[in-house]
Amino acid sequence: MVLWRFTLREIFSRPGRATLTLLSIVIGVAAVVSVTVSTSTTHQAYENMYVSMTGNATFEVVANEEQEDVSPIFDQKIVKQLDAFRASAAWCRPFKDSMS
């Protein structure tokens, strides 16, 4: 009970400070929510874009970016090998066309 009395006394004695504190909390929460929503929306948009581009692919081939001594660019030999598979020929074509 004493804590509430102390809190209310501070709020009423310094209303500008209390208002700015409340405003900063509201802005902080709004920033976190907006970044979370925009990240989720961007992730969903990229996922939809890749699904529409690749169709209903059962697997995806990505460049290896984790190794420092290897360039993260597809080698044309790999694309030609993937083209040999009938199931992957339909979704490899956009990658081949964009690389040439």
Side-chain angles (χ1 to χ4, degrees):
M1 196 70 175
V2 175
L3 184 60
W4 281 106
R5 211 177 299 156
F6 174 73
T7 303
L8 289 176
R9 187 176 63 217
E10 285 296 316
I11 288 174
F12 289 124
S13 68
R14 297 179 178 161
R17 183 178 188 179
T19 304
L20 286 177
T21 302
L22 182 62
L23 185 64
S24 66
I25 291 171
V26 168
I27 289 173
V29 169
V32 169
V33 168
S34 66
V35 167
T36 303
V37 167
S38 65
T39 302
S40 174
T41 304
T42 303
H43 177 71
Q44 185 67 31
Y46 275 109
E47 188 174 317
N48 290 341
M49 181 181 64
Y50 288 130
V51 166
S52 68
M53 186 174 83
T54 61
N56 198 6
T58 55
F59 65 95
E60 180 180 355
V61 178
V62 295
N64 187 0
E65 298 177 357
E66 294 177 3
Q67 295 178 351
E68 294 178 9
D69 58 340
V70 178
S71 175
I73 300 174
F74 281 111
D75 187 7
Q76 286 297 320
K77 293 182 231 172
I78 295 173
V79 174
K80 289 178 184 177
Q81 289 174 353
L82 288 173
D83 247 350
F85 295 108
R86 183 177 181 148
S88 65
W91 67 269
C92 283
R93 201 167 325 304
F95 293 117
K96 277 191 353 187
D97 294 341
S98 66
M99 293 174 73
S100 45

